[in-house]
Amino acid sequence: MYLIIESRDSYGEKNKEKVNCQKEVSPKGVKYSYENEHGDCKIIILKDMVQITRKGTINSVQVFKDGKITPFHYKTPYTSSEFTLKTTDMKQKREGLSLSYEIYDGEEKINDIVVTIKEVWN
């Protein structure tokens, strides 16, 4: 199976990628695992939260909880920074999800991001 991952941010940058993934379903939730140019990625969808993990040229663990603020560390070969994110909207769907969130560097909002993730079979 595949995931189509689309994102756009407050700077007008848009990304769309189709990745081959593995899906694991358990009583707790769903986990998607895939690789892209940034490394190994996992999307874990639980009842009241989503976690996106990247390990490779970009390393981060982002936790999304609707209406909540959560910290995350973002590391690349060129930078290592601490940020917080505020999940402004999170809708889980039968075959994917949509997320809207704001990224903060200290008190300063540095980006608004919208991400949609959808399962496809071809």
Side-chain angles (χ1 to χ4, degrees):
M1 80 171 289
Y2 297 90
L3 290 179
I4 294 178
I5 304 168
E6 295 182 75
S7 66
R8 70 178 191 279
D9 69 14
S10 57
Y11 299 102
E13 190 171 319
K14 295 179 182 181
N15 292 303
K16 182 176 181 178
E17 68 178 329
K18 182 178 179 181
V19 294
N20 188 6
C21 78
Q22 293 183 321
K23 178 181 180 181
E24 297 174 45
V25 179
S26 75
K28 291 183 179 181
V30 177
K31 177 169 76 172
Y32 299 101
S33 302
Y34 64 93
E35 290 183 26
N36 66 12
E37 76 244 26
H38 303 299
D40 295 326
C41 302
K42 291 183 180 20
I43 301 169
I44 300 168
I45 303 172
L46 305 176
K47 182 180 178 180
D48 63 347
M49 69 164 270
V50 173
Q51 177 178 305
I52 299 177
T53 304
R54 295 178 185 90
K55 291 183 181 178
T57 56
I58 293 176
N59 292 283
S60 70
V61 178
Q62 295 174 300
V63 176
F64 302 90
K65 295 180 180 182
D66 204 11
K68 303 291 183 187
I69 296 172
T70 55
F72 75 99
H73 184 83
Y74 184 83
K75 184 177 180 185
T76 72
Y78 311 104
T79 187
S80 180
S81 301
E82 299 291 332
F83 298 104
T84 55
L85 62 85
K86 179 181 179 184
T87 307
T88 55
D89 190 45
M90 183 171 74
K91 290 187 176 70
Q92 297 183 25
K93 301 174 184 174
R94 202 173 75 114
E95 297 177 339
L97 70 116
S98 64
L99 290 169
S100 297
Y101 60 98
E102 301 168 344
I103 297 178
Y104 289 84
D105 184 359
E107 298 293 316
E108 180 185 359
K109 181 165 68 167
I110 59 173
N111 211 342
D112 285 305
I113 299 176
V114 176
V115 176
T116 58
I117 299 166
K118 186 169 76 172
E119 291 182 12
V120 294
W121 294 96
N122 53 19

